[in-house]
Amino acid sequence: MTLVFDLPDPLTLPIQFSDRRFPVGRIFCVGRNYAAHAAEMGNEVDREAPFYFTKSAANAVQTGAEVPFPQGTEDFHHEVELFVALGQSVGSSDEDPLDAVSGYGCALDMTRRDLQIRERKKQRPWDLGKDLENGSVLGKITACKDWVGPGGQSIWLDVNGQRRQAGNLDDMVWSIAELLRHLSGFYYLRAGDIIMTGTPAGVGAVNPGDVITGGVTGLSDVKLTLMP
Ligand code: MN
């Protein structure tokens, strides 16, 4: 087959203690999964059901990336998140959806907050705020067997070495099993899918030249550098 032009190679992520890499398929993100973050955004947590948005894998980068400050925003925010990497499909009637999880990692859900809020007020989609180039930063994956979590671990984010976000995975409103069970009723979840599980309180603006580092106890850190 001859293509009329070449596409960039798909994103793959390193795996701790392994020579193999994880090919990234789709990226699903959970909104308002920590009550304190929902409150700082002026919202209440919806206890009825979680909600989602998606970010393109084509716009995602690996930890360690150095990227330009994005266009079109004057309020570019950091959000640190635990992500789940699926190694097999999940059906909505699966007994234990966690069986499909191959590993976990730390992610940054970078957000043009001014655009997200502007569009939200107009009841428009969030894409301009959320699905921007280099807008998802994904860390090295740790296989389930190599991590005791999730349960009780700290989640944190530093900008230029100063702590900005600090939370605990136990404060997630919806557990990973609940999220997988719910989301699999809307999508045929499959190997390669990534689910970003929401951010704790303390989100805020970053500037050109900033170095953003996020972590979860026991997992490999995620790092992003914004070009000066
Ligand atoms: Mn987020």
Side-chain angles (χ1 to χ4, degrees), residues 43-62:
N43 301 295
E44 281 181 32
V45 165
D46 185 348
R47 306 272 173 191
E48 295 285 308
F51 75 95
Y52 312 93
F53 56 91
T54 58
K55 298 184 83 153
S56 314
N59 280 335
V61 292
Q62 189 182 313

Side-chain angles (χ1 to χ4, degrees), residues 29-32 37 53 55 79-81 108-111 113 126 130 196-199 203:
C29 303
V30 182
R32 297 173 202 157
H37 169 63
F53 56 91
K55 298 184 83 153
E79 296 189 0
V80 64
E81 315 210 354
L108 301 175
D109 170 14
M110 300 303 296
T111 302
R113 191 73 72 201
W126 287 9
K130 285 293 193 180
M196 291 168 55
T197 61
T199 195
V203 301

